[in-house]
Amino acid sequence: MLARIPRWANENVLVGFDTADDAGVYKLTPECALVQTVDFFTPIVDDPYTFGAIAAANALSDVYAMGGRPVSALSTLAWPAKGDLEELAEILRGGAEKMHEADCAVLGGHSVQDSEIKFGYAVTGVIHPDRIKTNTGARPGDALMLTKRIGTGVIATALKRGTAKDADVEAAVESMLTLNRKACETMLEYDVHGCTDVTGFGLIGHAREMAIGSGVTIEIDPRAVRFLPGAVDYARQGAIPGGLKNNREFAANCVTGESEFDDLLYDPQTSGGLLISLPEAEAGKLEQRFPAAYCIGRVTESQGKPIRLLGR
Ligand code: CO
Ligand code: CO
Ligand code: CO
């Protein structure tokens, strides 16, 4: 579908929509480029303040995934005609405070009337044109690291079904509220070849884009992947989000090997972690400096399919 959008060569477009990357990058001067992205979605938690804050952390994440520094944002809002304005004020307050935590200025926004609440931001960041981290730079011999645990999709589904434990929901919310800022700032100290963030397409979906874009195979060890508390149980009990099934159908023919946790590897994440490809020798150092980061696999020459799941 994207292939049908006409495009015109522009030497200042450093990253466009050809490579399924996290954000677009536009060069302003030889020293400065803009990183631009937009994201919004329907409420995933009951508390409006928390929803606003998660929407902000999630929208900022694509700038961090490029190695950029967010500077400004515009909110995007769909709001029902008879919506509760107290609730809206809380959503906006949660978003504003999370943006402030990121030192990102909210300049305004736009709203439309709609039957279903949707909220998010268009975020602009800055980056030096030579320091862009794309999702097409993974190289054979790299280790693959992830900076958050997986499972926000199944936990949100269990929450909607009323089967999620409070403590599990709190842990998932805590994870979604965590900015990828520190992960980004830390990774920039190392020789990172490629980076993306794990969001709606799930771990395998985003690893797949990185593998295809980089012309490599990514081997993932499912036993190394860390899951949020309760996620494995809820998935076994059938709390499977619709997006997970779509992700699995879409990516399944790009994957070899099997795994018992296979469902969760396709779980759509909200405000997920950074997926980082860097030389094996650097991986241990990054983990020491940023203990939330852990190794989930490695990059090899292309083996035909983009993703290979190791062992059982
Ligand atoms: Co992204
Ligand atoms: Co995005
Ligand atoms: Co307007």
Side-chain angles (χ1 to χ4, degrees), residues 13-303:
V13 175
L14 303 181
V15 180
F17 55 83
D18 291 326
T19 52
D21 218 320
D22 300 293
V25 184
Y26 185 90
K27 186 170 76 175
L28 289 177
T29 72
E31 272 80 46
C32 183
L34 296 178
V35 184
Q36 298 189 285
T37 179
V38 58
D39 236 312
F40 60 98
F41 47 73
T42 55
I44 44 157
V45 289
D46 294 330
D47 179 57
Y49 177 91
T50 306
F51 168 55
I54 290 172
N58 181 72
L60 286 159
S61 178
D62 278 329
V63 174
Y64 294 128
M66 303 302 288
R69 181 171 61 86
V71 291
S72 68
L74 299 167
S75 60
T76 56
L77 171 72
W79 192 255
K82 288 181 182 149
D84 173 0
L85 292 178
E86 276 307 307
E87 190 184 337
L88 175 55
E90 281 298 284
I91 292 173
L92 295 173
R93 190 170 71 87
E97 289 192 355
K98 188 52 74 175
M99 284 293 175
H100 177 67
E101 182 190 330
D103 293 316
C104 184
V106 178
L107 305 181
H110 185 72
S111 59
V112 295
Q113 204 181 92
D114 193 13
S115 55
E116 197 178 25
I117 298 171
K118 300 175 191 80
F119 181 68
Y121 290 92
V123 182
T124 298
V126 291
I127 196 168
H128 190 290
D130 297 339
R131 303 193 64 192
I132 302 165
K133 304 299 176 195
T134 68
N135 67 354
T136 60
R139 298 183 207 163
D142 281 357
L144 200 69
M145 300 191 81
L146 184 60
T147 67
K148 287 187 185 180
R149 292 172 291 176
I150 295 286
T152 67
V154 296
I155 291 169
T157 304
L159 175 66
K160 276 179 199 148
R161 291 177 159 201
T163 59
K165 290 188 205 126
D166 287 349
D168 295 341
V169 175
E170 273 163 38
V173 165
E174 191 62 41
S175 174
M176 291 187 282
L177 285 173
T178 303
L179 291 175
N180 280 328
R181 177 182 191 163
K182 188 81 176 57
C184 170
E185 289 171 355
T186 310
M187 88 167 166
L188 291 175
E189 293 170 25
Y190 299 92
D191 178 27
V192 168
H193 292 154
C195 181
T196 191
D197 60 342
V198 177
T199 52
F201 297 130
L203 174 59
I204 287 184
H206 292 279
R208 171 191 170 276
E209 283 176 343
M210 185 182 264
I212 292 172
S214 307
V216 298
T217 287
I218 286 177
E219 293 183 341
I220 294 173
D221 180 355
R223 290 159 304 186
V225 178
R226 298 177 189 167
F227 300 105
L228 286 162
V232 172
D233 289 337
Y234 299 135
R236 284 201 183 117
Q237 291 160 14
I240 302 294
L244 188 155
K245 291 173 200 160
N246 296 341
N247 287 344
R248 197 174 42 206
E249 257 168 56
F250 181 73
N253 65 344
C254 297
V255 179
T256 58
E258 279 174 68
S259 155
E260 63 174 305
F261 301 118
D262 141 307
D263 262 352
L264 279 165
L265 303 183
Y266 295 96
D267 186 41
Q269 303 300 286
T270 299
S271 188
L274 298 186
L275 185 65
I276 300 168
S277 184
L278 80 175
E280 208 119 13
E282 304 257 271
K285 292 187 234 166
L286 174 61
E287 191 170 352
Q288 262 185 354
R289 285 269 288 107
F290 189 71
Y294 59 100
C295 203
I296 60 160
R298 63 194 196 111
V299 180
T300 72
E301 301 282 347
S302 174
Q303 303 172 32

